[in-house]
Structures are given as structure tokens and as C-alpha cells.
Amino acid sequence: ANLVYSRQINARLNYGYEYMGAASRLVITPLTDRCWITITNALHIHLGASPAGPAGTGKTESTKDLAKGLGMFCIVFNCSEQVDYIMMGRLFSGLAQQGAWTCLDEFNRINIEVLSVIAQQLLKIRIAKMRGDTIFDFEHTQIPLKKECGVFVTMNPGYAGRTELPDNLKILFRPVAMMIPDYELIAEI
């Protein structure tokens, strides 16, 4: 069977065939372009990406728009202090089985104890993807794995109540700074 795939720099990603209608798309600026390059190359090496910057710079929208362009289903999940490792384990299990993406918005609002367990859950998925497993043990259950799954986190650094990510979690995400959008270029379109 012939598959449709997308190539960007070193990354080769399978098209997801998820149709979300004829909705509007983002204006491509150097900022969104850099974000997309970081995300696609992170997926290529079985990592996630972590766009970081102030509110309104397009962190979540850039991730969602790339997913749309690649035909991937992307679930946006707004994180809070109430998130626990069981909830995240269920989310990651579903993503792995469906080959979907998630954008965990304001990820650094989650408690440090929970973040440490999340790091172990994500590492387990990454190791299975690197080995080329199609079935693996996740949270004491054998589940199928679609290698296209991806986890991305957005963070607003410097706000009250935000947690510094533990090192074992930081290494699972490629960072990308999302600072000042090019408003002139966006307004031109």
C-alpha cells in the first residue's frame, strides 16, 4: 500500500488521514515555521516538543495547526493542579493506541509529584517506539502502539503557581521559544 507522508529536514512523518473540515489555518511566520521544525524533528527522534513563552504567542495554535496539516487528531488538554497520574496514564494509553497527538496546555501547573510519574509513563512509550514495538506493557496492561502518537506541552514561564519541570521530564521534550509574533506579517495576510 502506498502511504502519504510528509518530510521536513530529517523527519519523515506518516500522514494521519484525520479530516477536520475546511477550517481556517494559521498564517505561517518565521515563529510558526521554527515551532513546526522543532516538533517534526522531535517526533523523528521519538520525543515531544515544548513550546514556551508568554500567553498569545501561538504555542497551542501552532501545534494544533501542524496536526491539522499532517492529518493528525490532536487533543488539547488544559492542565491544572487537579491533574493526577491516573488521569494522564489513561490519556497516554489512548494516544498510544490511536496514534493521536495531545497538546498539554499550561503543563507546568501540574504538581511536581505527578510530573515525576508522567515522566516515567512517557519514557515507557518512547522506549517502545524506539524498539519498534507494536504492542507493549503500559500501566500493567498490554496495549497496541501506533508510532505516530505524540505529546506536546506548552508552558507560560514566570507565572505564580508554575512548577519547574524535573530533569527526567525535560529530556523528553525539545524546547522551542515562542516569544514575539510578527504582527506586521500576520496583518498583511
Side-chain angles (χ1 to χ4, degrees):
N2 293 329
L3 292 177
V4 175
Y5 62 89
S6 175
R7 294 186 65 101
Q8 186 169 37
I9 308 197
N10 293 332
R12 181 182 184 268
L13 305 172
N14 291 337
Y15 186 75
Y17 300 100
E18 183 72 33
Y19 180 68
M20 277 128 334
S24 61
R25 300 292 304 269
L26 279 183
V27 174
I28 306 304
T29 66
L31 188 61
T32 54
D33 199 36
R34 187 178 56 197
C35 180
W36 288 2
I37 288 169
T38 302
I39 291 173
T40 56
N41 282 294
L43 286 169
H44 177 67
I45 57 174
H46 309 295
L47 292 174
S50 62
T57 53
K59 301 177 296 291
T60 303
E61 292 304 318
S62 293
T63 304
K64 285 172 35 183
D65 202 60
L66 177 60
K68 185 183 292 186
L70 294 174
M72 300 301 297
F73 183 61
C74 184
I75 300 164
V76 177
F77 187 88
N78 293 308
C79 298
S80 71
E81 300 81 12
Q82 285 78 38
V83 170
D84 64 17
Y85 74 93
I86 296 169
M87 185 185 305
M88 296 308 287
R90 288 181 182 150
L91 175 65
F92 298 149
S93 174
L95 295 172
Q97 293 178 65
Q98 293 301 312
W101 289 8
T102 190
C103 182
L104 303 173
D105 224 1
E106 298 189 47
F107 187 63
N108 52 343
R109 291 180 61 192
I110 300 173
N111 293 326
I112 189 76
E113 299 83 12
V114 177
L115 289 174
S116 189
V117 177
I118 289 171
Q120 295 305 309
Q121 293 170 330
L122 291 174
L123 181 62
K124 195 155 200 148
I125 294 170
R126 180 173 192 244
I127 290 169
K129 286 170 70 172
M130 289 172 64
R131 284 194 310 234
D133 293 350
T134 55
I135 296 175
F136 76 114
D137 182 62
F138 185 76
E139 303 289 297
H140 311 295
T141 306
Q142 291 286 313
I143 63 170
L145 173 64
K146 291 189 178 176
K147 67 177 183 164
E148 292 82 11
C149 67
V151 177
F152 311 99
V153 300
T154 67
M155 295 180 285
N156 297 330
Y159 290 107
R162 301 307 195 257
T163 308
E164 178 71 21
L165 297 187
D167 289 340
N168 64 338
L169 189 55
K170 277 184 193 173
I171 62 168
L172 298 175
F173 296 97
R174 297 295 294 268
V176 57
M178 302 282 288
M179 288 303 165
I180 303 164
D182 188 340
Y183 293 117
E184 188 177 320
L185 183 61
I186 293 168
E188 196 176 293
I189 304 298

